[in-house]
Amino acid sequence: MGEISKAKLDIILDEHYDYLLGGDGRGADLSGVDLSGMDLRGKNLSTVNLDGANLEGADLRGADLTFACLKGANVKNANLAMADLSQTDLRGANFSWACLDRAYLCHADLSDANFAYAKLWKARLISAFLIDANFTNANLSAAILDLAQLIGTNLKGASLVDANLEKVNLAKANLTEANLFGANLENVDFSGAILPKKELAVGKLYYLWSYNYVYPHPEVGTETLICLLSIDEQNQTLEYIEAVSGDVYKNVPSWQKFNLVEAKI
């Protein structure tokens, strides 16, 4: 369809809304339409066909995109904060550098989509499909991904600080340089995944910060001075002794629940 005027788009969406209410309006087909930079804040785009549409730089804050189809769409640099994309088809779409803070993507299909450098702070992706998606350097801090499928997902350099990943499938995912500090990793499937590593050395002193503070401000948390006794690379666990009490702790997950900062003493 190519380019479309704002006035014509408003008419199409009014008819679509009437269609959703069971009236005589027609369901909107905006596949391939150029909607780049448009103000679509709060618009009801539920069930709209946006296959291959160009939404680059569009303002979709608070928009209703439930059950819509954005397969292969260009949504780069768009603002979808607080938008509802639940059960939406986003396969192969480009959301790089987009803002989806507090957005709803529950049960959505994001397979093969590109979310590189996207912001998804506190986004809800419960039971979503992110298979083979690209989340390189994306911000998923405090996101809720319970039961999501992230098989083969590229999360290199992504921030998952304080994210909820309970029962998530991360088989064959790439978590190189990802930040999982404070994340809930209960019952996560890491089969064949590339896990983040810490450059830790046995015999060195570290300050161990508990996970229940707000990253990245360790000064508001509590610290424990420890000395590393051993590192199990395969199981990503540590053995250490507390410098003050002398208590020894074994099989402690190094990257799961703690942040270790080398002590400069």
Side-chain angles (χ1 to χ4, degrees):
M1 190 182 293
E3 294 184 4
I4 187 173
S5 67
K6 183 64 165 60
K8 185 175 181 180
L9 177 62
D10 287 339
I11 293 173
I12 291 174
L13 294 182
D14 285 343
E15 289 186 356
H16 180 74
Y17 186 64
D18 186 52
Y19 162 78
L20 291 175
L21 294 177
D24 296 327
R26 293 181 299 174
D29 184 354
L30 297 171
S31 55
V33 175
D34 185 0
L35 301 169
S36 56
M38 282 206 173
D39 185 352
L40 299 168
R41 285 176 294 175
K43 292 291 186 181
N44 190 335
L45 300 167
S46 179
T47 74
V48 171
N49 183 4
L50 289 156
D51 278 9
N54 182 12
L55 290 152
E56 182 170 352
D59 190 345
L60 289 147
R61 284 176 289 174
D64 182 353
L65 288 150
T66 53
F67 299 98
C69 186
L70 285 83
K71 189 164 58 175
N74 177 19
V75 201
K76 182 179 180 181
N77 282 316
N79 190 343
L80 295 103
M82 296 291 290
D84 192 348
L85 296 97
S86 299
Q87 302 192 59
T88 300
D89 188 348
L90 307 172
R91 289 175 293 171
N94 180 11
F95 282 84
S96 58
W97 298 96
C99 176
L100 294 102
D101 290 344
R102 293 181 179 271
Y104 290 81
L105 297 106
C106 300
H107 300 278
D109 193 344
L110 292 69
S111 300
D112 296 306
N114 181 12
F115 283 82
Y117 295 94
K119 296 185 292 183
L120 295 104
W121 176 72
K122 285 195 173 182
R124 293 177 176 267
L125 296 104
I126 300 169
S127 296
F129 290 88
L130 292 76
I131 299 170
D132 292 324
N134 179 18
F135 281 83
T136 303
N137 294 310
N139 182 3
L140 287 150
S141 299
I144 302 174
L145 295 107
D146 305 35
L147 301 168
Q149 299 292 317
L150 285 83
I151 302 170
T153 303
N154 186 359
L155 291 156
K156 182 177 180 180
S159 174
L160 290 153
V161 173
D162 294 327
N164 193 342
L165 299 164
E166 186 173 353
K167 296 182 181 179
V168 167
N169 190 344
L170 280 162
K172 298 181 180 179
N174 182 2
L175 290 151
T176 306
E177 300 174 2
N179 190 345
L180 289 159
F181 184 68
N184 178 6
L185 300 172
E186 185 177 351
N187 296 316
V188 172
D189 184 354
F190 285 110
S191 303
I194 302 173
L195 300 174
K197 295 182 179 179
K198 285 183 176 291
E199 298 300 325
L200 303 175
V202 172
K204 282 192 175 182
L205 291 173
Y206 292 89
Y207 285 115
L208 183 151
W209 299 90
S210 59
Y211 72 96
N212 58 351
Y213 68 83
V214 180
Y215 183 89
H217 301 294
E219 63 272 12
V220 303
T222 57
E223 65 179 17
T224 304
L225 185 62
I226 67 167
C227 179
L228 284 184
L229 299 177
S230 66
I231 302 172
D232 186 337
E233 293 287 351
Q234 182 176 357
N235 296 311
Q236 295 285 310
T237 58
L238 303 175
E239 179 180 358
Y240 64 81
I241 183 171
E242 288 189 357
V244 177
S245 67
D247 294 336
V248 176
Y249 294 84
K250 298 181 179 181
N251 301 319
V252 179
S254 60
W255 48 269
Q256 179 175 342
K257 293 184 176 179
F258 300 102
N259 191 33
L260 293 164
V261 180
E262 186 174 351
K264 304 295 184 181
I265 297 177

